[in-house]
Amino acid sequence: MNTAEKWSISSWRNYPVSQQPEWPDRAQLDSVLAEISKLPPLVFAGEARGLTRHLGEACKGKAFVLQAGDCAESFADFTADSIRDKLKVILQMAVVLTYAAGVPVVKVGRIAGQFAKPRSSPTEKVGDIEVPAFRGHMVNDDRADPIARIPDPKRLLAAYHQSASTLNLLRAFTKGGFADLSQVHAWNREFVTSSEAGMHYEKIASEIDRALQFMRACGIELASEATIQQVDFFTSHEALILEYEEALTRIDSLTGEPYGCSAHMLWVGERTRDLKEAHIHYLSGIKNPIGVKIGPRAGADELVELAEILNPERIPGRLTFITRLGASLIEEKLPPLLEGVSNTGIPVLWTCDPMHGNTFVTDSGFKTRRFDDVMEEIKGFFSAHSKVGTWPGGIHIELTGDGVTECIGGEPDTSEESLELRYTTMCDPRLNGRQAIDMAFRVAELLRK
Ligand code: PEP
Ligand code: CO
């Protein structure tokens, strides 16, 4: 039962494992994995420990988490502009949330490694043809062509290198002046003045203006103050392809402990969180902060077992349960889960993924989500926590900085008919930049209540 027994970097191989690609050439895979295991880690263990501390604050109600980014990053759409625009939206959301929550916002991207997707079915129908499912650019190509869908181990290496370049740019942007608070607030001001829904947020924006003015009046030099100029930004992805994660699991020279060095935080998805299987076993042994997605079929007993296996040392910030229950179920399903886990005393940070429980396919075949359902789930999340007396620790969002039309509603109002205009996601529908900022202002209003 306890998958934490006899852990080693490769012991997950002794457990049943789901959602792994069928690599056609084992020898080629092994040679790629050997190569990756000699490459430098993408993140350092000390940074992962830093994130655990920040998440620990959120676990105690002293911080709020914003985890956001693509459903699946793309090898094709890989430009400095798209990374910058995604970061920009996340920073804009974070400023609004920080002001409203009155606590630090821990910023974690679904970025620099989010290249692998679990699938409900091994094949999919594209138009008239049936092809093997797309499993993320780390595994195969999204083109609807049976040859392109054959898993290719060289993609693991490409994912490593794209993650390294992305991280490099993120570090440069977040420490080199791009994250300047006054600048980020000026972008939010543009949003507020350039749209009807935005005008509704004039009050919050003006209050932030006044807070900045107050800081200046107190003699705080905003242009040179490091805490205003720089932000800590962390990376995360679903730890799905365990061969890749294994190749990047390293022993930290300071503590002698194993860390997954492909990202600061790793999570397992709703489809791979079986207590007796390989993914949970792998997570149980690494020391990073980790997350588990929790869907509507989960029961309190199961979550208690997960918490015991994944956080036996009871470290605040070590374990996040990311609930994705759906707008219509959250009020009924979440309170018993919160109560069951709270009663154990094991510290768990709870965040809300309001995206994955609210996906549906339109008559014209677009996989989409309604902005209003997403907001409804967030409301349900806050109200469930307030009922049970636990802290609603953060939100987990799929978004992009681009002006895509993938989710219905929000700002600007995207109609069902306009989904076809700029529907570019390879997997799940994302909020576009303006919908995401609109959401942050709405969440800010909820937080202030
Ligand atoms: C995802 O986060 O993109 C995802 C597949 O989520 P889940 O495991 O919750 O379905
Ligand atoms: Co998704």
Side-chain angles (χ1 to χ4, degrees):
M1 173 64 68
N2 188 342
T3 60
E5 282 164 24
K6 293 192 217 84
W7 192 94
S8 76
I9 286 175
S10 58
S11 54
W12 63 269
R13 292 173 186 266
N14 301 327
Y15 293 80
V17 59
S18 39
Q19 297 282 348
Q20 302 305 288
E22 288 181 18
W23 304 103
D25 182 343
R26 202 67 227 176
Q28 192 193 17
L29 173 70
D30 288 341
S31 109
V32 167
L33 293 174
E35 190 173 346
I36 295 174
S37 63
K38 291 194 203 87
L39 291 169
L42 290 168
V43 301
F44 298 101
E47 296 177 306
R49 282 193 287 278
L51 178 56
T52 302
R53 277 193 299 276
H54 289 302
L55 296 174
E57 290 300 296
C59 189
K60 295 175 205 153
K62 294 180 183 157
F64 190 77
V65 179
L66 172 61
Q67 187 170 18
D70 261 310
C71 179
E73 287 175 273
S74 164
F75 285 179
D77 169 32
F78 174 46
T79 63
D81 286 0
S82 76
I83 296 167
R84 182 201 58 205
D85 292 346
K86 218 172 294 166
L87 176 66
K88 183 176 163 192
V89 169
I90 295 172
L91 295 175
Q92 285 182 257
M93 295 176 79
V95 166
V96 177
L97 294 172
T98 306
Y99 181 76
V103 292
V105 169
V106 187
K107 295 165 272 295
V108 186
R110 286 175 62 114
I111 199 166
Q114 177 56 17
F115 292 110
K117 298 312 298 174
R119 302 318 299 250
S120 307
S121 157
T123 60
E124 67 189 304
K125 226 165 158 205
V126 187
D128 296 335
I129 57 167
E130 177 110 355
V131 288
F134 171 55
R135 293 184 176 274
H137 275 170
M138 183 187 265
V139 176
N140 58 7
D141 198 86
D142 54 304
R143 267 179 307 125
D145 165 355
I147 304 289
R149 294 287 171 98
I150 297 173
D152 177 357
K154 289 199 294 298
R155 288 177 168 272
L156 297 173
L157 208 49
Y160 170 90
H161 288 297
Q162 183 165 323
S163 300
S165 315
T166 304
L167 252 164
N168 183 50
L169 202 57
L170 289 171
R171 291 186 197 279
F173 280 141
T174 51
K175 300 295 175 190
F178 182 75
D180 170 22
L181 177 61
S182 311
Q183 179 58 55
V184 176
H185 177 58
W187 293 327
N188 278 341
R189 268 265 165 237
E190 272 168 42
F191 169 82
V192 168
T193 48
S194 67
S195 75
E196 242 168 66
M199 292 306 283
H200 175 70
Y201 308 123
E202 177 57 38
K203 189 164 175 290
I204 293 179
S206 297
E207 286 173 26
I208 300 177
D209 283 340
R210 299 245 307 275
L212 290 172
Q213 234 162 26
F214 175 72
M215 285 195 274
R216 282 189 208 101
C218 292
I220 298 168
E221 194 47 71
L222 298 186
S224 59
E225 175 65 37
T227 50
I228 305 272
Q229 285 288 312
Q230 304 182 0
V231 300
D232 289 328
F233 188 86
F234 298 94
T235 61
S236 69
H237 62 255
E238 178 171 351
L240 185 71
I241 310 299
L242 291 180
E243 283 142 338
Y244 177 81
E245 301 303 338
E246 177 186 327
L248 280 165
T249 305
R250 307 294 165 83
I251 302 299
D252 171 35
S253 58
L254 288 178
T255 60
E257 292 177 321
Y259 280 82
C261 292
S262 61
H264 300 111
M265 177 186 185
L266 295 169
W267 80 83
V268 298
E270 167 69 358
R271 293 166 191 76
T272 51
R273 60 169 175 77
D274 192 299
L275 289 160
K276 299 191 182 76
E277 292 195 0
H279 288 84
I280 292 297
H281 176 76
Y282 170 73
L283 282 195
S284 74
I286 55 168
K287 295 295 176 184
N288 305 55
I290 54 173
V292 182
K293 290 287 203 86
I294 306 295
R297 68 192 164 88
D301 292 351
E302 199 183 348
L303 297 204
V304 167
E305 271 193 85
L306 274 170
E308 280 164 353
I309 292 170
L310 296 174
N311 197 9
E313 293 167 87
R314 306 193 167 209
I315 299 166
R318 152 73 175 166
L319 177 61
T320 303
F321 282 155
I322 308 162
T323 59
R324 28 89 86 223
L325 301 166
S328 60
L329 292 176
I330 186 157
E331 292 230 38
E332 170 206 334
K333 298 264 176 188
L334 187 54
L337 301 179
L338 300 176
E339 274 156 11
V341 174
S342 298
N343 289 341
T344 66
I346 302 174
V348 169
L349 167 64
W350 297 89
T351 64
C352 174
D353 164 359
M355 314 297 293
H356 289 88
N358 297 306
T359 317
F360 68 99
V361 180
T362 65
D363 292 341
S364 41
F366 288 102
K367 196 183 194 188
T368 189
R369 293 158 176 158
R370 284 184 206 287
F371 186 88
D372 289 350
D373 292 343
V374 169
M375 280 313 306
E376 210 44 44
E377 178 151 359
I378 297 177
K379 269 187 216 151
F381 177 75
F382 282 116
S383 87
H385 279 279
S386 127
K387 204 155 102 190
V388 180
T390 41
W391 172 245
I395 52 175
H396 181 119
I397 307 292
E398 287 184 342
L399 57 74
T400 168
D402 308 331
V404 299
T405 53
E406 296 170 6
C407 292
I408 297 173
E411 155 66 33
D413 191 0
T414 305
S415 65
E416 190 171 326
E417 294 69 44
S418 57
L419 289 178
E420 63 179 16
L421 295 179
R422 284 179 305 281
Y423 192 95
T424 61
T425 185
M426 295 185 302
C427 197
D428 290 339
R430 304 157 296 177
L431 298 180
N432 62 36
R434 294 185 72 92
Q435 286 172 326
I437 296 162
D438 186 12
M439 157 184 286
F441 275 103
R442 292 190 202 212
V443 174
E445 288 179 338
L446 294 176
L447 276 167
R448 295 202 332 162
K449 283 186 199 143

